[in-house]
């Protein structure tokens, strides 16, 4: 390979400004840890290897980002970015190419920006280069100090004097260096104020040594944002949200109020789907074409077919909804469910780990758990599957074309055969044979004239109490 590349991602800092027990780089934007955004961008450059420097307090990182080819190295104490790269250099012995270094807390830097930076670094045959950007207003980034246009050093905000503080060109935390430049890391002196070895000092050291050092202004302030506080995290989230939503608009998806919709980076949405305000589409959800998703719904890790209507305030988790089904309003589809084509799950219906067949309707106020329900079944309002006996869960099977009358309880394990009817208000505890009627309530009794007799009785009582009052008054 002409230009072998290694990447190093620095992720061992304490992230104290987040005020959190979770390592900073594991804070998430739309379900994806910050560090994973950097890793995804870096991997698009096809480095030979990617080294992640983690701290002793951030061991969880290894488990949180699976499915990548990464090498981890532990920086025992967070002694600064210079020390972090030095720790990584153990794994770079014998490597003879370019090293791309970046902070793990800059999730918005795109692969194309990194690519452009690397191209400049290589084209100009730099020994070391740093990616910079221009920022207005107050901030705490390191200042790029230039001497007759040539980069001279980087001065951290804390160490900058009044004049240096006015410099608008700042350090993004992305560097490219030839492997032999790693030798300079030993020469970085401890910054006494912060008790850290600053990687930024390597620029000044390179210039003094006569190496070729450059700073390239690329990207913009938003893209280069380093996440140090919860506010930074929030703002980066909004930026990513806008990018994702715009991408889906280009893909043919309509939004009523895009500013209130949140779509995870791995979710997919088909063309001609319309999304109302306050909708959250999470995880690896796939939504088909021509769907309508009404306000306040949350869909997580689910597969939604084509032309599905999801009405207001519906939650769908880890489930499948087939073409032309209608769900909600106020429905809850819990994990492990499959809702058949052209079926209807209506108001206040909860479904858990159940299969609902084609054309089946459960329109109002039901709980269906651990159930296997066939085609064209009608589940009357208020039907409950009693799936739990206090210890174990049991299965309910309702075959095709069954009609379950309202307010029925179906005590599992139980099976209702094809085409059978269940009378309203029944408690079903035994299997129901196909094509039969099951009723389990006391027969209705009509007592004729009862209301008239009741009326007469109550009038008599009233007359009597009036008399009593008058008698008492005379005394
Ligand atoms: C750093 C730069 C600053 C730049 C800014 C860009 C230094 C000294 N300063 O400042 O010039 O403008 O990034 O966002 O480098 N880390 C370790 N080990 C440590 C300390 C930090 O791995 O001992 C990691 C952190 O996890 C983080 C990254 O290095 O991902 C940067 O550390 P941070 O403390 O956020 O540096 P900044 O103060 O933002
Ligand atoms: Ca930072």
């Amino acid at each position: 390979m002409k230009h072998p590349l290694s990447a190093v991602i620095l992720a061992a800092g304490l992230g104290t400004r987040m005020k959190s027990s979770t390592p900073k780089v594991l804070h998430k934007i739309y379900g994806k840890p910050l560090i994973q955004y950097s890793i995804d961008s870096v991997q698009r450059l096809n480095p030979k290897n990617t080294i992640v420097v983690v701290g002793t307090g951030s061991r969880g990182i290894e488990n949180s980002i699976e499915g990548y080819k990464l090498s981890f190295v532990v920086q025992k104490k967070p002694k600064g970015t210079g020390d972090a790269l030095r720790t990584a250099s153990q794994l770079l012995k014998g490597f003879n190419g370019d090293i791309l270094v970046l902070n793990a807390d800059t999730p918005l830097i795109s692969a194309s920006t990194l690519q452009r930076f690397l191209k400049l670094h290589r084209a100009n045959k730099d020994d070391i280069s740093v990616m910079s950007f221009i920022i207005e207003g107050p901030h705490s980034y390191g200042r790029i100090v230039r001497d007759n246009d040539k980069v001279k050093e980087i001065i951290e905000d804390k160490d900058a004097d009044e004049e240096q503080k006015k410099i608008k060109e700042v350090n993004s935390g992305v560097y490219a260096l030839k492997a032999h430049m790693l030798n300079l890391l030993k020469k970085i002196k401890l910054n006494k104020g912060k008790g850290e070895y600053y990687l930024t000092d390597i620029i000044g050291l390179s210039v003094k040594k006569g190496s070729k050092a450059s700073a390239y202004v690329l990207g913009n302030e938003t893209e280069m944002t380093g996440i140090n506080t919860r506010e930074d995290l929030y703002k980066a989230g909004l930026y990513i949200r806008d990018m994702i939503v715009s991408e889906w608009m280009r893909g043919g998806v309509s939004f009523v109020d895009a500013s209130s919709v949140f779509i995870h980076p791995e979710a997919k949405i088909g063309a001609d789907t319309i999304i109302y305000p306050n909708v959250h589409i999470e995880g690896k959800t796939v939504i088909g074409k021509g769907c309508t998703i009404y306000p306040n719904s949350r869909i997580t890790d689910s597969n939604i077919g084509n032309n599905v209507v999801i009405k207001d305030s519906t939650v769908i988790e880890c489930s499948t909804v087939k073409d032309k089904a209608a769900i909600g309003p106020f429905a809850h589809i819990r994990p492990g469910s499959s809702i058949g084509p052209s079926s209807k799950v209506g108001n206040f219906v909860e479904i858990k780990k159940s299969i609902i067949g084609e054309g089946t309707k459960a329109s109002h106020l039901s709980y269906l758990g651990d159930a296997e329900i066939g085609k064209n079944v009608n589940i009357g309002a208020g039907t409950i599957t009693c799936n739990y006996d206090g210890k174990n869960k049991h299965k309910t099977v309702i075959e095709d074309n069954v009609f379950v009358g309202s307010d029925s309880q179906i005590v599992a394990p139980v099976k209702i055969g094809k085409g059978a009817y269940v009378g309203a208000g029944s408690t079903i505890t035994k299997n129901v044979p196909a094509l039969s009627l099951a009723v389990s309530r006391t027969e209705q009794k009509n007592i004729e004239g009862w209301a008239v007799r009741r009326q007469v009785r109550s009038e008599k009582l009233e007359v009597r109490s009036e008399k009593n009052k008058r008698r008492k008054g005379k005394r």
Side-chain angles (χ1 to χ4, degrees), residues 17 24 81 103-106 140-141 172 225-229 232:
R17 287 166 279 184
K24 174 168 80 176
T81 45
N103 294 344
D105 65 353
T106 49
S140 60
Y141 293 103
S172 69
T225 298
I227 310 293
N228 297 317
T229 63
D232 297 332

Side-chain angles (χ1 to χ4, degrees), residues 269-311:
I269 311 170
D272 286 326
T273 284
I274 171 161
I275 298 182
Y276 280 75
N278 257 321
V279 167
H280 292 242
I281 298 170
E282 301 179 336
K284 293 185 174 164
T285 293
V286 178
I287 295 176
K289 292 179 190 163
C291 296
T292 305
I293 304 174
Y294 284 104
N296 307 319
S297 293
R298 181 166 65 83
I299 307 170
T300 303
D301 289 314
S302 293
N303 253 295
I304 312 293
N306 298 325
N307 303 307
V308 169
V309 177
I310 296 170
K311 293 181 192 163

Side-chain angles (χ1 to χ4, degrees), residues 45-69:
L45 273 61
N46 291 320
K48 205 170 148 255
N49 55 350
T50 303
I51 300 165
V52 182
V53 185
V54 296
T56 46
S58 52
R59 281 265 164 79
I61 292 178
E62 282 106 311
N63 307 325
S64 306
I65 36 178
E66 288 171 336
Y68 293 89
K69 215 183 105 226

